[in-house]
Amino acid sequence: RLSERNTVIDRLKRAVRNGEIEPHYQSQHVLSDGRLTGFEALARWDDEVLGAVRPDVFISIAEQTGLIVELGEHLLRRACEDATQWAELMPKAPPVVSVNISPVQFARTDVTGLVSRVLHETGLPPELLEVEVTEGVLIASREKIAATLQELSELGVSIALDDFGTGYSSLSYLKDLPLNRLKIDQSFVKDLSRTASNPIVSTIVQLGHNLGLNVIAEGVEDQTDVDLLAALECDDGQGYLYSRAMTKEATSRYITEIALQASQQ
Ligand code: C2E
Ligand code: MG
Ligand code: MG
């Protein structure tokens, strides 16, 4: 297993160096009317030798080896470049791009400096970028993270708390951090159709709304999920019902199609 892991590390180094890991994009929508609001950038790696490697596998290796710093910067830059083009395709309602930033990047690098540099280089307006952080980010150095998130927020970038409800949970940070959105983890959405009442989902939605936050559900797979979530007043959704993660080219086609439909109405 050790030699297998070493092979993956070698291939990963190579892939990062050659820029072979690229973001694909999964759309996000308003649950009540299906309107497109943005896309989450999800890293995809299809290696010549290893084949397609799952992101939870290679992101965790990239974090352990420090490769996440270079990889994270590449993915952020690509996502911002791509989002700049989408804004031209859909100028009236430009989609926001959400980028996952690893706790390791927050701990080891100047995330604010990186984000402001990339926004400047790509010309993407800050309000079209959202940063996704997990609760795990708060374990390390709570004050440093809070300060960085505050700086990002002052730049005009929005902040989403990913996989909400699954991690290290202390509700006290919710009121101290400059959050804009809660992402309900897909494990809670999976339970929706199996149970008549949904105390956890409805409580997360109310909690988010009481704090003035937008709430988005992950893992929306069918219309029943949409109906149940909308009945619980959840705002937005993301999942296979709307789209899988698409290549940059497929995403541009998807946006062009939506812009065309809007212009015909
Ligand atoms: P995440 O940020 O919570 O991303 C959502 C995951 O749910 C994605 O898995 C997505 O493909 C999957 N998903 C979306 N819709 C559905 C659905 O309807 N049903 C089901 N069953 N799954 C759905 P993916 O792409 O495998 O990514 C896994 C995790 O890897 C991500 O979780 C994120 O934590 C991490 N990751 C992915 N890309 C990046 C990246 O660029 N940077 C960092 N730091 N982490 C990343
Ligand atoms: Mg995410
Ligand atoms: Mg998530």
Side-chain angles (χ1 to χ4, degrees):
R1 216 179 275 159
L2 193 64
S3 82
E4 210 173 279
R5 190 183 139 83
N6 286 336
T7 311
V8 177
I9 293 175
D10 283 345
R11 299 299 302 173
L12 186 60
K13 268 189 200 150
R14 199 186 150 273
V16 170
R17 200 180 331 118
N18 297 342
E20 288 172 10
I21 301 178
E22 295 291 3
H24 283 205
Y25 299 100
Q26 185 176 38
S27 61
Q28 301 178 327
H29 301 260
V30 176
L31 287 168
S32 59
D33 60 8
R35 188 165 52 83
L36 173 75
T37 59
F39 294 90
E40 178 175 7
L42 293 163
R44 291 291 180 265
W45 177 29
D46 196 359
D47 185 67
E48 255 174 42
V49 175
L50 303 168
V53 186
R54 290 174 38 168
D56 30 8
V57 173
F58 69 78
I59 294 289
S60 120
I61 295 178
E63 288 175 335
Q64 289 155 20
T65 53
L67 285 165
I68 192 71
V69 172
E70 192 179 339
L71 176 60
E73 177 165 348
H74 170 75
L75 291 166
L76 175 71
R77 185 167 282 109
R78 272 300 148 81
C80 291
E81 280 166 9
D82 294 345
T84 311
Q85 296 182 10
W86 305 335
E88 286 166 19
L89 295 174
M90 237 178 128
K92 284 196 191 133
V96 172
V97 70
S98 301
V99 178
N100 294 282
I101 307 276
S102 154
V104 176
Q105 288 173 276
F106 278 98
R108 294 215 204 143
T109 68
D110 171 14
V111 174
T112 312
L114 172 67
V115 167
S116 53
R117 207 163 60 239
V118 169
L119 288 174
H120 182 76
E121 284 165 17
T122 58
L124 184 71
E127 59 274 15
L128 295 186
L129 176 64
E130 176 176 75
V131 161
E132 290 193 10
V133 298
T134 54
E135 292 168 285
V137 87
L138 299 157
I139 295 174
S141 156
R142 182 86 173 267
E143 266 118 62
K144 183 177 175 229
I145 301 297
T148 307
L149 294 182
Q150 190 59 46
E151 289 163 4
L152 289 172
S153 186
E154 280 161 18
L155 283 180
V157 170
S158 22
I159 295 157
L161 193 55
D162 202 357
D163 304 340
F164 184 70
T166 60
Y168 155 88
S169 287
S170 154
L171 294 178
S172 63
Y173 63 69
L174 283 180
K175 63 174 178 24
D176 299 333
L177 298 176
L179 302 174
N180 302 89
R181 174 188 248 199
L182 293 183
K183 294 196 83 174
I184 304 180
D185 189 68
Q186 46 176 281
S187 57
F188 300 118
V189 177
K190 283 217 174 65
D191 290 338
L192 270 182
S193 45
R194 278 193 248 129
T195 49
S197 72
N198 302 285
I200 297 193
V201 172
S202 74
T203 302
I204 297 177
V205 172
Q206 294 314 316
L207 176 66
H209 287 173
N210 288 341
L211 291 161
L213 308 178
N214 171 284
V215 181
I216 181 168
E218 301 185 294
V220 176
E221 294 189 353
D222 52 42
Q223 189 58 39
T224 314
D225 290 341
V226 172
D227 297 341
L228 291 167
L229 287 162
L232 297 173
E233 295 176 48
C234 185
D235 305 295
D236 298 347
Q238 173 183 347
Y240 297 162
L241 171 70
Y242 299 111
S243 73
R244 300 226 168 203
M246 303 173 279
T247 61
K248 172 197 162 176
E249 292 75 22
T251 306
S252 295
R253 286 195 295 275
Y254 186 89
I255 293 170
T256 307
E257 187 68 28
I258 288 177
L260 186 68
Q261 279 166 14
S263 72
Q264 287 166 347
Q265 270 165 17

